[in-house]
Amino acid sequence: MKSTLVLALAAAMTASALSACGERAPPSPPPAPADSAPPQERVPANDPAVRRHERAAPPELQALVSGRFEPRGERATRATGAIEVDDHAISAAQGDELSTERIAIVRGDDQYRAGERYSSLLMVGAEQPVELRRVYPPAGDTSDDDPLAADTAAVEGTPPVSAGVPAGIPADAAADRHTAVPLCASGEASYIALVMVNEGDRQVVRLAGLRGDSMPAAGASDIEACEVLEYESR
């Protein structure tokens, strides 16, 4: 009797277990691996119509001096007259537009040559920001780029003709077309240092040409500073 009861209970438990297994939902398959990159149509591409400053790019040096300024003093009046300063050039009433490139923002305490500081040259404080620009030769001036043409012209006794000057223009007129802004009493400036300070309700600009082949810095030995010119806003 007992063995029959045990067998009946075992059979019932086995049936119950099989029924539970049959009702259990099968395991769901593992999720498919996500793509590591978005579809091709969603990948952003450079748009040439987008302005450069709206793209990801290194920050540009901010201008310290910009606008039109009147000469202050006889030297600035005689050398340049009124000047117009923008991001890429300095235009003067007494000369052509001078192409420039902003290359650094330094401080008054920095040296433009061994032992010589911008603060002493431009009469500013040690922490005063100073805008340093490289000067490019006047457009069409190819005498430095083509020494053979210059030598040939010297032998033949005729001045070299600058590129972009139409034939038939007299040599003196062609030279006037490419007259550099006379920032230095002798020769042309290779670099320009600019500062702007406030004097009352006026903004005063001080500008100094720097001559030499080296980059203005503490280790430079061939940099020469020209006379400082002053201008003011109106």
Side-chain angles (χ1 to χ4, degrees):
M1 184 68 179
K2 289 184 179 180
S3 60
T4 303
L5 182 58
V6 170
L7 291 174
L9 289 175
M13 292 177 63
T14 302
S16 176
L18 291 174
S19 176
C21 289
E23 294 176 357
R24 185 179 303 166
S28 57
D35 293 335
S36 57
Q40 184 64 30
E41 61 271 13
R42 283 197 252 164
V43 176
N46 287 335
D47 184 355
V50 178
R51 294 181 180 178
R52 181 165 59 89
H53 70 271
E54 295 175 357
R55 304 181 198 160
E60 295 184 356
L61 298 173
Q62 297 299 311
L64 300 181
V65 180
S66 181
R68 180 178 175 83
F69 303 92
E70 298 296 327
R72 194 181 194 191
E74 181 182 352
R75 169 72 177 114
T77 301
R78 186 175 66 254
T80 64
I83 61 171
E84 182 87 22
V85 182
D86 62 28
D87 284 342
H88 306 291
I90 298 176
S91 304
Q94 308 291 339
D96 284 346
E97 180 179 275
L98 192 65
S99 297
T100 63
E101 176 190 16
R102 190 180 301 112
I103 59 173
I105 302 298
V106 297
R107 299 288 173 180
D109 199 43
D110 290 329
Q111 300 180 44
Y112 61 88
R113 61 168 291 159
E116 302 290 344
R117 303 182 186 277
Y118 290 102
S119 57
S120 299
L121 175 65
L122 298 169
M123 298 171 290
V124 294
E127 296 302 316
Q128 174 72 38
V130 179
E131 183 175 329
L132 183 62
R133 295 189 177 199
R134 178 185 287 112
V135 179
Y136 290 99
D141 183 359
T142 59
S143 57
D144 292 338
D145 299 333
D146 191 357
L148 179 59
D151 292 342
T152 301
V155 171
E156 295 177 353
T158 57
V161 178
S162 297
V165 179
I169 294 181
D172 55 349
D176 289 342
R177 289 166 59 94
H178 304 299
T179 301
V181 178
L183 302 180
C184 297
S186 61
E188 297 179 3
S190 305
Y191 298 90
I192 294 175
L194 292 160
V195 295
M196 178 182 287
V197 296
N198 294 322
E199 291 188 1
D201 59 349
R202 292 186 178 180
Q203 294 176 318
V204 175
V205 171
R206 297 192 183 113
L207 180 157
L210 301 173
R211 299 182 62 228
D213 296 327
S214 302
M215 173 76 74
S221 59
D222 65 334
I223 293 293
E224 298 178 3
C226 305
E227 185 175 353
V228 177
L229 308 179
E230 279 195 343
Y231 306 87
E232 62 184 2
S233 60
R234 291 293 185 183

